[in-house]
Amino acid sequence: MTVRGAQGKKRAEELRAQIDDANHRYYILDDPAITDAEFDAMLRELIDLETAHPELRTPDSPTQRVGATPSERFAPFEHSQPMLSLANAFDEDELRAFDERVRKLAAVPVSYVCELKIDGLAIALDYRDGVLVRGGTRGDGRVGEEITPNLRTIPTIPLRLPVTLSLSKGRNLLEVRGEVYLRKSDFEKLNARREREGLPVFANPRNAASGGVRQLDPKLTAQRRLSFFAYAVAQGPPLKTQSEALEYLRAAGFAVNDHIEMPDDIAGVIAYCRRWEAARDTLDYEIDGVVVKVDDLALQEKLGAVSREPRWAVAYKFKPREARTKLRDITITVGRTGTLNPNAVLDPVQIGGVTVKSATLHNAEYIASNDIRIGDTVLVTRAGDVIPRVVGPVLSERTGKERRFKMPGACPVCGSAVDHPPAEAMARCTNASCPAQVFERVRHFASRGAMDIEGLGDVLADQLTGSGIVHDIADIYALDAEQLASVPRMGEKTISKLLEAIDGSKSRGLARVLTGLGIRFVGEQTAAILAGDFGTIDAIAKASEDELQRSEGIGTEVGSSVRLFFDQAANRSMIERLRRAGVVMAGARRERGGGPLGGKTFVLTGTLPTLSRDEAGALIEARGGKVSGSVSRKTDYVVAGDEAGSKLAKARDLGIPVLDEEGFRRLLEE
Ligand code: IVH
């Protein structure tokens, strides 16, 4: 059925309003409410509608321009030639259709360059006489925002080019275009810091990058640790091909992506797209597709552009890793340190091949500032290694029946008062003996990364803390067979095995005890550093904040948290009880440099059962080893978890030992 007359006009108007709103949220507010795929679908529908019914096209239709109006915070940046957008291909047939179109128009053999489509934001840089003079965002493609001081803070943007480099004849001008982005690892660190500081967290690296370059104070841009890949020469010396342009950029000192290839034909292009769609998680930056470009620049010119899109390039878009679903409820769990953590209960939804039923909502401030309500249709993302996150509500789906969420005033587990200092992001249960907190502390203490007490898992920890047999971690060492016999389903054999495991845990060493204590900000890495530097728990307990901060990677935050822990009489007496029970709390001090894993290179891939990538990396580094992002012959071990992709395959190809988490932990013990 075709849409016609008044109906078509109404639909076009509707689409225009929605697209304008989406553009505004994406470019100006850095706060998108719909997925890229949804945006593309709306735009495509509008283009189709206007093509079929040209009388519906209006001069202000979003199809007539490339993006959104630049914000008024910055001076306008006029582009020497429009910064175009790209037509999308969503599957292999559309890639083949692109190839056929190109070859028909070209009437000569065509070669393509395949580049990764970096998920950041496009910028243009002007160099005059080899010096960076001006840089700006894409904006609407004709006029962007001038953000030169901010761009100067990005280390991978050269401020000066090598003198030997040839520039544009006559005017000595070079205009470079490329993508500003944020590494996933830097994104995780940025969000972790913002969460600690009670600031709103970013939904994805792209938003953080986009907000980062558009700061009014360049110092704030610098703090984001942005990166840049150059991918085009818009004005400059005479060049014949895109591949030559990329080489020129590399020689000029720009970061050019390493994974550029020139397949022989469209089948090779398709293979490249497939390969990178499967391997995207192995990169430390987000890619959302592949850009396929005609290599010959004269041919590019000949092919030209239609409305907003060049005919010589296409963007192959990966399947989206964002989805919409219903937010059914918000539940609270109480963490080890008493934090009240809000979790989203979602209608199950498939995102990038994984069924997502719950997602993090961070804290009350995040929920309020993003106006997330129970009953909302929400946007959920699962980017790379990052846990699923609710991005925000889809406002157009609001019915009015949604409910605002309120943090409970009392702990949902023990009923004690909740404390929420205005400067902190997290609300906390004030009762240190709250069963939920005690449970989390006992569970953490007995876990594999800490004291590794086999048999003391979630169920038993819950029974022991719930029944009041165990009030704190030192109580674990006071357990006897008689007490344990009163716990349901504990037979004689289980009891004796457990008591043996508890006894065995006493000699795990200082670093494990420190980890197990669950001091805020002291994970396995920090614990290993402190244990290595101080040697005994008493030395740590006595150290001033200043002394603690002399250890590598320990700042004011960790220092004051460690002090706070040992300043509490209850904690000191608990440590005394651990000592009397025979728990070893001293170990050899580490000699600087070297270490048991000295000279060994590791690659981490996939999701490990209990360790995050950062934690596993820290454990390796604390023992003198190195972590690398890619597998090569120089790799000594690959540590692989669930959903390990191409790195695992490559390790197998090269015959490099592959460890699971258990094997990895055994190696660390050796
Ligand atoms: S070329 C006319 N190459 O994708 C072609 N773009 O809509 C201009 N992007 O806004 C773009 N990686 O920000 C090109 N290797 C790459 C890219 C890339 C990411 C972005 C760019 C642009 C969007 C395409």
Side-chain angles (χ1 to χ4, degrees):
M1 198 183 77
T2 53
V3 195
R4 24 176 107 137
Q7 214 189 330
K9 184 158 182 267
K10 189 160 160 268
R11 181 64 189 148
E13 275 164 10
E14 229 168 65
L15 286 166
R16 267 175 216 137
Q18 284 169 359
I19 292 167
D20 281 342
D21 175 60
N23 267 333
H24 180 74
R25 290 188 68 126
Y26 185 104
Y27 288 104
I28 308 289
L29 306 178
D30 293 327
D31 182 25
I34 61 167
T35 65
D36 289 356
E38 287 169 331
F39 180 87
D40 291 337
M42 288 197 301
L43 192 60
R44 196 163 260 221
E45 188 185 340
L46 184 58
I47 292 171
D48 289 350
L49 198 57
E50 288 178 351
T51 313
H53 306 276
E55 73 281 3
L56 293 179
R57 192 172 290 147
T58 58
D60 66 347
S61 173
T63 57
Q64 304 303 300
R65 61 187 174 123
V66 187
T69 354
S71 99
E72 280 161 15
R73 290 190 295 167
F74 297 97
F77 183 98
E78 275 183 44
H79 295 294
S80 56
Q81 46 187 298
M83 280 184 93
L84 298 174
S85 173
L86 289 174
N88 293 322
F90 292 101
D91 56 33
E92 298 177 9
D93 287 346
E94 292 186 355
L95 280 173
R96 284 204 187 85
F98 162 77
D99 174 53
E100 267 161 38
R101 261 192 324 270
V102 168
R103 280 188 295 122
K104 205 160 135 201
L105 289 166
V108 288
V110 181
S111 17
Y112 298 112
V113 179
C114 287
E115 299 174 16
L116 298 180
K117 187 167 183 297
I118 315 296
D119 199 5
L121 69 147
I123 58 147
L125 301 167
D126 287 346
Y127 291 83
R128 207 172 282 277
D129 298 323
V131 175
L132 175 65
V133 288
R134 227 169 58 108
T137 62
R138 181 169 82 161
D140 66 3
R142 285 178 299 108
V143 185
E145 297 156 314
E146 213 248 71
I147 49 164
T148 319
N150 294 353
L151 293 175
R152 285 205 178 102
T153 70
I154 300 177
T156 35
I157 293 183
L159 301 182
R160 185 177 286 280
L161 306 173
V163 276
T164 50
L165 201 75
S166 68
L167 297 165
S168 177
K169 281 222 180 69
R171 290 187 302 151
N172 278 338
L173 188 76
L174 176 71
E175 184 186 340
V176 174
R177 290 178 177 178
E179 199 85 352
V180 170
Y181 66 99
L182 185 62
R183 292 189 167 276
K184 288 182 199 165
S185 48
D186 288 324
F187 169 71
E188 292 295 329
K189 281 184 207 143
L190 173 70
N191 261 1
R193 197 179 69 220
R194 290 178 69 90
E195 186 146 15
R196 284 202 296 273
E197 289 170 359
L199 294 168
V201 292
F202 292 102
N204 55 47
R206 184 188 58 212
N207 288 357
S210 164
V213 296
R214 296 164 66 254
Q215 292 291 328
L216 287 174
D217 177 358
K219 275 200 216 74
L220 298 175
T221 308
Q223 282 173 10
R224 294 269 163 106
R225 305 186 153 280
L226 300 171
S227 306
F228 176 73
F229 278 130
Y231 57 62
V233 177
Q235 294 184 74
L239 294 161
K240 284 205 164 51
T241 59
Q242 167 67 4
S243 41
E244 200 188 320
L246 293 169
E247 263 166 48
Y248 173 86
L249 289 168
R250 200 170 267 143
F254 289 93
V256 174
N257 191 273
D258 273 337
H259 304 293
I260 290 158
E261 283 178 30
M262 288 190 64
D264 293 334
D265 51 17
I266 194 67
V269 168
I270 291 169
Y272 178 94
C273 293
R274 273 203 205 138
R275 183 150 42 84
W276 280 107
E277 182 150 18
R280 61 195 290 196
D281 282 352
T282 63
L283 299 169
D284 191 27
Y285 44 89
E286 291 279 357
I287 55 173
D288 60 343
V290 166
V291 185
V292 184
K293 301 174 185 174
V294 166
D295 190 36
D296 187 322
L297 297 179
L299 181 53
Q300 284 191 2
E301 190 137 335
K302 180 176 159 203
L303 291 168
V306 266
S307 76
R308 58 196 275 278
E309 295 158 356
R311 269 192 292 232
W312 47 265
V314 72
Y316 171 76
K317 289 287 232 75
F318 294 157
K319 306 280 166 303
R321 278 205 300 204
E322 295 180 321
R324 308 171 155 202
T325 187
K326 266 257 182 311
L327 174 62
R328 287 291 166 202
D329 200 2
I330 296 177
T331 56
I332 302 285
T333 50
V334 181
R336 205 167 67 220
T337 53
T339 50
L340 267 49
N341 309 316
N343 310 299
V345 180
L346 304 168
D347 275 356
V349 62
Q350 284 282 321
I351 310 181
V354 173
T355 308
V356 173
K357 289 183 286 205
S358 58
T360 179
L361 283 162
H362 300 286
N363 51 53
E365 206 280 328
Y366 183 82
I367 299 172
S369 66
N370 287 289
D371 190 21
I372 297 166
R373 302 182 194 177
I374 297 167
D376 264 335
T377 296
V378 288
L379 194 62
V380 183
T381 64
R382 190 186 72 85
D385 309 331
V386 187
I387 35 168
R389 178 197 312 275
V390 174
V391 178
V394 182
L395 293 175
S396 55
E397 299 279 316
R398 279 258 161 97
T399 62
K401 291 204 189 110
E402 296 76 12
R403 283 185 295 126
R404 280 212 171 78
F405 168 78
K406 206 173 159 299
M407 255 307 169
C411 170
V413 176
C414 71
S416 303
V418 166
D419 181 30
H420 193 174
E424 290 211 13
M426 303 307 278
R428 282 195 161 72
C429 166
T430 50
N431 172 16
S433 346
C434 167
Q437 288 188 49
V438 178
F439 162 73
E440 289 292 345
R441 285 200 291 265
V442 166
R443 177 167 90 147
H444 172 75
F445 186 78
S447 70
R448 272 209 269 176
M451 300 300 264
D452 194 11
I453 304 176
E454 208 179 322
L456 184 43
D458 288 6
V459 176
L460 185 59
D462 186 40
Q463 286 168 327
L464 292 174
T465 54
S467 61
I469 298 178
V470 167
H471 300 95
D472 67 17
I473 54 183
D475 282 345
I476 296 172
Y477 294 98
L479 286 170
D480 59 30
E482 204 179 313
Q483 277 174 317
L484 287 170
S486 71
V487 175
R489 282 185 303 281
M490 288 293 279
E492 234 171 81
K493 230 171 148 182
T494 321
I495 292 174
S496 74
K497 265 172 103 180
L498 176 67
L499 289 174
E500 241 172 71
I502 292 175
D503 206 44
S505 73
K506 291 176 184 170
S507 52
R508 297 263 186 265
L510 178 59
R512 301 283 212 100
V513 177
L514 268 181
T515 306
L517 291 176
I519 303 170
R520 240 179 128 192
F521 308 130
V522 180
E524 289 181 49
Q525 173 190 18
T526 308
I529 291 170
L530 288 173
D533 284 354
F534 288 86
T536 67
I537 199 141
D538 296 329
I540 298 170
K542 276 199 290 242
S544 67
E545 266 183 53
D546 278 351
E547 283 163 340
L548 290 165
Q549 283 180 38
R550 275 180 222 142
S551 284
E552 198 180 322
I554 294 185
T556 49
E557 201 168 46
V558 183
S560 76
S561 166
V562 172
R563 265 292 14 105
L564 190 70
F565 182 88
F566 288 105
D567 283 343
Q568 282 172 20
N571 290 334
R572 284 201 307 271
S573 77
M574 183 181 72
I575 284 163
E576 259 335 289
R577 284 162 56 224
L578 288 175
R579 193 196 313 274
R580 264 183 268 134
V583 175
V584 177
M585 288 182 285
R589 285 175 69 158
R590 171 168 39 98
E591 295 306 318
R592 298 214 179 250
L597 298 181
K600 297 273 185 252
T601 303
F602 287 73
V603 173
L604 303 167
T605 177
T607 315
L608 297 174
T610 72
L611 286 173
S612 74
R613 252 189 224 195
D614 275 353
E615 284 166 345
L619 291 170
I620 292 165
E621 280 162 9
R623 288 161 181 79
K626 231 178 59 189
V627 181
S628 156
S630 57
V631 179
S632 73
R633 288 186 197 284
K634 291 195 198 123
T635 310
D636 293 291
Y637 296 100
V638 170
V639 182
D642 276 357
E643 286 182 46
S646 64
K647 289 187 203 179
L648 179 57
K650 188 152 180 207
R652 297 227 161 100
D653 271 0
L654 295 174
I656 291 162
V658 176
L659 304 172
D660 60 5
E661 183 172 319
E662 225 182 293
F664 172 59
R665 287 190 182 277
R666 270 201 302 274
L667 180 74
L668 297 179
E669 299 291 295
E670 275 170 16

